[in-house]
Amino acid sequence: MTQMNGTNGFTVPPIPPAPGSGAPTPPPMPTPQQAAPPQPQQPTSARHAAHPIHQLDGRGRTDRLPTLPGQPQGRRYAVTTALPQPEQGLGYVVEEVDGGVRVLAWIRDDMKVFTTDDVLDDDSAGALRADRADVHFDKWDADDDDYTGPMRVRSIFEPGHGVSFGEYRRQDDDVTILAAALDLGPLTSGAHPRAVVLAAGWLLAYHVPTLAGRRPGSGLGRIFDEFMRVTREPVADAVDAIVWKGAVNAATAAPTDRFAARELIEAGAAALRPVSARESVRFIIVEDTNLFWAVFNGDMPTADRHAVLAIESALNRLGAVRRVADARDNENGFVTTLDEAGCYDAVRRRDHVWSQHIEHVLDYTDVNNRFARINDAAAAPGGMWDTLTRFITIGESLILPHRFEYRADVNTDTGEMAIIFSAPDETQFQSSDWRDGHVVDVRAMRAAHAATYALELAGLLAQIAFTAGPSVNAVTVTGYRGSLYKTEDPVLSLSFDRARFTTNVLPRYRDGVFDDAALDDDPARVLPMLEPTAFALAFNARRGLDVITPLPVPQSLLANRTPLWTDTRPLPPRLCSLLRADRAQDLDILHDDASIKGSEVMDLRQGNEKDTPIGTSIELESVIMQIEMSEQAPANQRPLYCENPTQRLLVSLVDDGPDTRYWKAPDALYNARVGLTHIYRDDGDHQAAVAQAQAMERIAPTCAAAYFEEAVVHADSEDYEAAARVLKSALTIAVDRDDVDFVYYRLAYALWNTGDRESAAACYAMRTLDSASYAPSARREVAQLLAQLGWDKLPDHDQAVARLREVDIPVAPQVRALDVLAEAAMGLVDAGFPCAADAAAGILANSVEGDVLRLLRQCLRYGVLNADDVLAAERGE
């Protein structure tokens, strides 16, 4: 349909009537592609009847078990120690029969129960494997003195782990049931002997289902355990396993298992395997919100991305069920706690709490912003850094039904802010609902649900902006379908005025007007309730949102988005002194406009350094001469080369005062000296190689890679003390994690070769090397060093830091360097130069807990603009 744009007094775009409520039958539940695991051989009643009958010897104790719910009629069970058993036994579970008892299971004193046909001796008991216990009461924390944990039954549904059917607490020899997925009858309350509780657990969770021909563990478990399956296994396998459990085995599955299977099937579980075969996909659970988050390549095709996000939303609907079940089950959240109607109700309640979301946002009005101060650096109160980090802090605290991505930009001088966010695609919404006692098909309503949700979320984002920024008086909110990895499908764009929103719209949120489920099918009612001052919106024939042309980004925000290499705006005096620069343009290190390009030198070096070293060295010397002749430095300025923007912000650490100024040394100059260093080193002329490396350090004093080159030359000539000295210097300026990791890695080897093995071990311990390209060699070195020291493992981080300080090795990143970086980043952002501070925010994020600064970096780098457009502008395209 044609896009409608409006201002004050707008007319709501036309929208078709709501579809019907759906057929009273559920959508089909296809069988997953994988084959069901083979069914294990099940013991039968006849087999139990064949057990030998024993006479109790009268010297032990026998406790008859109370009648348990579901226990076969006419059968009596007991726990007895009046039969021969190994020393570590607590007794046998027996069935009382005429003439004596039949042995059914043995209870070991480590809270494990093993099915057995007869009494056991020490040899047969010793052959029992702990991981093959049929029922086992575990501890949540094996190292904790608190004896509390899950009650589990061995099951094909969770091989090697077991399916939880309760939680217990043990005190001395008594056990109390804290929560249970099974009705344990009179044992549910109060304390009881642990052997009795273990026997009852084995009977109900393992023995009774086995007698009935059911798989032990079916219909039991914690929702949390299903979550962990998704995060630890290949995603397609994990999702198929949940579907298999709840759909293929629907007759014996718990209500929550059936609900989970239906949700995943309707979300398109069948599409997940081919997508995950093409692309790397994994799921994590965000710690602060307990929400699922899919991790995948941002360049994933749109259709594949929607398939993954639909599964993500379905999993988060299970999360809503888990939260309700947790509240009832002492935080265990069993799959038996809610019936299917209760599962749907939990999701419905979660989806209609906008009043709670808004109150949560308002709670942040006077909260101290911990990201406004980093060490000794402080942002301006109410400034751009303060406003953006407050905005992100609130955004990260929200628990929303669907994937929530966002970026923002603000100009606190004009009071204007812009926000872009991910508006869920209709495939992320439920295809079925529970009405009048049965499941109904609501696929026809998903587009409208998505539109309503996006509109209500846009209003919430406006309030977050007004809460985060006291100077913000106008905000434009634009939603993009599905994800912000690609801002390709804008579907709504609304502008809000602070006074009008606060007076008219905010009370509607707080009073629960937007919580009305009837709005789900009528997004046209939502739009006027939000009272935007301007909007761009179009509804399609299914009452969903069509792609539109969004409202323009405020000019005051675009003015701060000039690519750094063309930004001639002057810097504030304080930043001029700190950064040794007068204009924003002086901070650019990426735009290479020299007469000889850095890439040309790299092409020259490629393959020639080793094949024709003499000819290549002559050409590289010529490059240096040409540059020094043609690229004349401005008067009283020093040449400066930086590999990344953060190195440009750190120059005050290495020069002689605030009046120093720099000109951008061409990439070709640095690359040529790197090439000469390699050629001289390979030729054995270490003196010439060191001279070239030191020349690199002079033009790149904040670049750790320059120090690497000199250290390698010293190491090649086995002067490890000199190598260590240079690497220690590098640690005073290294702030990038990769640089710091590599410096410590090479310093460890150098110290080892000087005989200081303990300091070498401390350097190896300073960083995790598993993900680095040099990880295999690092692991080999560590193994050899530990063998020489006679140690089992490296010191922990605190021990390593203590050792480094003891021997005067810098601990990187150094606080002084981070202070300079934080002061520069905050000052640049507050002065309206976000493009100059994004990389610094990324470095600072490594030293501050949480994801706020990582997300801030995205806001600083791209604002609300298309990322590809920003990158093209940086390249001058």
Side-chain angles (χ1 to χ4, degrees):
M1 300 184 66
T2 303
Q3 172 176 327
M4 303 293 292
N5 296 286
T7 56
N8 285 345
F10 64 84
T11 300
V12 176
I15 188 167
S21 60
T25 55
M29 296 177 64
T31 301
Q33 296 178 3
Q34 71 182 58
Q39 184 171 346
Q41 181 179 359
Q42 301 288 352
T44 63
S45 299
R47 180 184 171 191
H48 289 305
H51 291 192
I53 297 176
H54 292 272
Q55 299 297 319
L56 302 181
D57 61 16
R59 287 176 295 178
R61 175 174 176 172
T62 300
D63 292 316
R64 178 176 287 180
L65 297 178
T67 301
L68 301 171
Q71 176 178 318
Q73 289 185 354
R75 301 202 178 192
R76 300 188 304 266
Y77 299 99
V79 176
T80 184
T81 58
L83 290 171
Q85 66 169 329
E87 183 178 351
Q88 67 271 36
L90 294 179
Y92 294 97
V93 185
V94 298
E95 180 183 355
E96 297 178 349
V97 296
D98 292 339
V101 297
R102 288 193 179 97
V103 174
L104 303 179
W106 177 58
I107 307 172
R108 204 162 69 181
D109 62 3
D110 59 356
M111 309 280 277
K112 293 179 171 59
V113 186
F114 300 87
T115 301
T116 180
D117 294 345
D118 207 344
V119 296
L120 302 174
D121 57 22
D122 288 340
D123 289 340
S124 55
L128 296 174
R129 289 171 44 190
D131 63 350
R132 300 294 292 174
D134 297 307
V135 162
H136 44 103
F137 285 19
D138 302 328
K139 290 175 64 175
W140 291 127
D141 186 345
D143 298 325
D144 198 333
D145 292 335
D146 179 30
Y147 223 127
T148 302
M151 305 155 63
R152 292 177 173 145
V153 57
R154 183 166 61 91
S155 172
I156 62 171
F157 295 106
E158 280 287 350
H161 177 70
V163 172
S164 295
F165 62 90
E167 181 186 25
Y168 75 99
R169 176 184 294 124
R170 174 186 166 190
Q171 187 171 11
D172 297 326
D173 199 46
D174 287 336
V175 166
T176 302
I177 304 299
L178 302 179
L182 293 169
D183 184 357
L184 290 164
L187 301 182
T188 302
S189 60
H192 303 274
R194 58 173 169 158
V196 169
V197 178
L198 281 159
W202 176 83
L203 284 167
L204 292 182
Y206 186 84
H207 184 64
V208 170
T210 298
L211 289 177
R214 300 196 309 271
R215 293 185 175 98
S218 62
L220 299 177
R222 296 187 308 152
I223 303 171
F224 174 79
D225 293 328
E226 302 287 6
F227 280 11
M228 290 300 98
R229 176 195 294 274
V230 174
T231 61
R232 69 175 180 253
E233 297 179 7
V235 293
D237 292 344
V239 168
D240 277 358
I242 296 173
V243 170
W244 177 77
K245 184 178 180 183
V248 177
N249 295 275
T252 56
T256 299
D257 289 330
R258 291 195 294 272
F259 173 80
R262 181 182 297 113
E263 286 294 314
L264 289 169
I265 290 171
E266 293 172 357
L272 187 59
R273 185 169 295 280
V275 170
S276 62
R278 292 189 294 268
E279 304 276 354
S280 173
V281 179
R282 63 186 178 91
F283 284 92
I284 62 173
I285 297 178
V286 181
E287 183 177 355
D288 293 338
T289 62
N290 277 326
L291 292 173
F292 276 97
W293 186 270
V295 180
F296 52 86
N297 186 343
D299 291 329
M300 177 182 286
T302 300
D304 289 353
R305 188 167 69 248
H306 286 321
V308 172
L309 295 182
I311 295 296
E312 180 187 271
S313 289
L315 290 170
N316 281 324
R317 287 193 281 276
L318 306 188
V321 174
R322 175 196 166 191
R323 283 190 288 275
V324 174
D326 279 352
R328 299 186 188 181
D329 289 332
N330 198 40
E331 299 302 315
N332 281 279
F334 296 114
V335 295
T336 55
T337 300
L338 302 178
D339 59 16
E340 289 191 70
C343 293
Y344 281 100
D345 184 64
V347 174
R348 191 177 302 111
R349 290 176 181 273
R350 176 208 64 170
D351 290 353
H352 300 94
V353 290
W354 295 103
S355 55
Q356 295 180 29
H357 292 319
I358 212 78
E359 292 298 340
H360 175 79
V361 171
L362 295 172
D363 285 343
Y364 279 81
T365 301
D366 299 317
V367 172
N368 178 56
N369 181 11
R370 69 184 181 94
F371 298 99
R373 176 174 288 276
I374 299 176
N375 298 335
D376 292 333
M384 290 175 63
W385 179 284
D386 187 28
T387 298
L388 286 173
T389 51
R390 284 181 183 276
F391 179 85
I392 297 168
T393 298
I394 299 172
E396 289 304 283
S397 70
L398 293 174
I399 302 177
L400 295 171
H402 306 285
R403 189 180 193 89
F404 180 42
E405 298 169 7
Y406 55 90
R407 294 203 306 265
D409 202 358
V410 65
N411 188 319
T412 53
D413 290 336
T414 64
E416 293 175 296
M417 189 168 184
I419 301 163
I420 60 174
F421 74 99
S422 53
D425 182 72
E426 64 180 87
T427 58
Q428 294 173 245
F429 287 76
Q430 280 184 296
S431 294
S432 61
D433 197 3
W434 187 275
R435 298 179 187 175
D436 301 325
H438 54 249
V439 177
V440 297
D441 186 342
V442 295
R443 283 173 290 182
M445 303 177 189
R446 293 188 304 173
H449 292 185
T452 293
Y453 177 87
L455 286 164
E456 291 169 332
L457 180 55
L460 182 69
L461 284 165
Q463 183 56 53
I464 296 175
F466 296 139
T467 301
S471 65
V472 175
N473 53 53
V475 59
T476 300
V477 183
T478 301
Y480 289 84
R481 181 176 292 144
S483 173
L484 288 190
Y485 280 112
K486 294 183 178 181
T487 50
E488 55 190 7
D489 290 331
V491 292
L492 64 84
S493 194
L494 312 174
S495 289
F496 299 97
D497 171 76
R498 185 188 194 104
R500 184 172 180 177
F501 190 95
T502 302
T503 302
N504 299 335
V505 183
L506 178 58
R508 294 184 185 126
Y509 273 98
R510 303 188 75 172
D511 292 343
V513 175
F514 290 99
D515 296 347
D516 185 358
L519 294 174
D520 289 352
D521 299 330
D522 198 357
R525 283 178 55 199
V526 178
L527 184 59
M529 290 163 57
L530 292 171
E531 298 193 26
T533 55
F535 69 91
L537 191 70
F539 292 112
N540 59 32
R542 293 175 297 110
R543 305 167 67 81
L545 297 173
D546 264 344
V547 176
I548 50 93
T549 299
L551 298 175
V553 177
Q555 189 59 41
S556 69
L557 303 182
L558 295 177
N560 291 340
R561 290 282 152 196
T562 304
L564 202 57
W565 65 282
T566 63
D567 193 346
T568 59
R569 289 179 296 164
L571 296 172
R574 184 160 165 262
L575 288 176
C576 289
S577 297
L578 178 67
L579 302 177
R580 306 339 190 209
D582 299 312
R583 303 169 301 169
Q585 191 177 51
D586 299 335
L587 302 177
D588 171 62
I589 63 100
L590 297 175
H591 192 70
D592 188 6
D593 57 0
S595 57
I596 302 176
K597 303 296 183 186
S599 58
E600 295 178 59
V601 175
M602 293 299 293
D603 291 341
L604 171 63
R605 289 174 49 197
Q606 189 72 30
N608 295 328
E609 288 178 6
K610 294 187 179 297
D611 296 340
T612 56
I614 296 178
T616 304
S617 64
I618 293 173
E619 291 191 63
L620 292 176
E621 292 279 10
S622 175
V623 166
I624 294 172
M625 186 179 300
Q626 290 181 58
I627 291 174
E628 290 178 344
M629 292 179 59
S630 61
E631 306 288 344
Q632 293 298 318
N636 302 320
Q637 290 193 17
R638 300 180 184 180
L640 178 68
Y641 171 83
C642 300
E643 277 189 327
N644 61 62
T646 55
Q647 294 169 358
R648 178 60 183 85
L649 304 183
L650 294 173
V651 291
S652 63
L653 297 175
V654 295
D655 64 23
D656 52 10
D659 294 329
T660 305
R661 291 296 182 268
Y662 296 93
W663 66 284
K664 182 183 179 303
D667 296 354
L669 178 63
Y670 181 85
N671 291 343
R673 293 206 180 276
V674 172
L676 288 173
T677 301
H678 292 179
I679 290 171
Y680 292 143
R681 186 190 70 206
D682 293 342
D683 193 42
D685 189 348
H686 293 106
Q687 184 175 356
V690 168
Q692 288 296 332
Q694 291 177 344
M696 291 161 51
E697 293 166 21
R698 286 192 291 274
I699 65 171
T702 58
C703 180
Y707 298 86
F708 297 162
E709 296 292 346
E710 182 183 354
V712 170
V713 176
H714 291 308
D716 271 8
S717 59
E718 298 187 354
D719 187 353
Y720 290 104
E721 289 187 0
R725 184 183 65 251
V726 172
L727 291 169
K728 290 175 186 178
S729 296
L731 288 174
T732 64
I733 52 88
V735 292
D736 180 82
R737 185 180 294 276
D738 290 340
D739 285 347
V740 172
D741 285 356
F742 192 71
V743 174
Y744 276 124
Y745 166 60
R746 288 294 78 198
L747 179 57
Y749 189 78
L751 292 172
W752 185 2
N753 281 277
T754 65
D756 189 354
R757 292 182 293 189
E758 291 191 11
S759 297
C763 288
Y764 280 123
M766 284 299 289
R767 285 292 182 270
T768 299
L769 305 171
D770 289 344
S771 62
S773 61
Y774 48 86
S777 58
R779 284 193 288 268
R780 288 192 297 271
E781 291 171 19
V782 168
Q784 293 170 11
L785 176 60
L786 292 178
Q788 291 181 13
L789 287 166
W791 294 358
D792 294 330
K793 60 181 180 179
L794 290 172
D796 63 29
H797 183 75
D798 290 343
Q799 293 169 333
V801 168
R803 174 64 183 181
L804 296 184
R805 287 177 173 155
E806 180 184 345
V807 296
D808 293 326
I809 294 175
V811 177
Q814 295 238 276
V815 172
R816 179 171 170 238
L818 292 177
D819 280 347
V820 169
L821 208 57
E823 184 179 355
M826 291 175 175
L828 286 166
V829 173
D830 285 338
F833 300 97
C835 302
D838 69 285
I843 297 295
L844 294 170
N846 294 326
S847 64
V848 178
E849 184 181 357
D851 291 328
V852 169
L853 294 188
R854 290 183 178 85
L855 293 169
L856 174 66
R857 180 181 187 180
Q858 298 299 308
C859 294
L860 299 180
R861 182 72 184 277
Y862 304 115
V864 295
L865 304 179
N866 179 280
D868 289 339
D869 293 342
V870 171
L871 296 174
E874 288 178 355
R875 295 190 297 265
E877 298 175 358

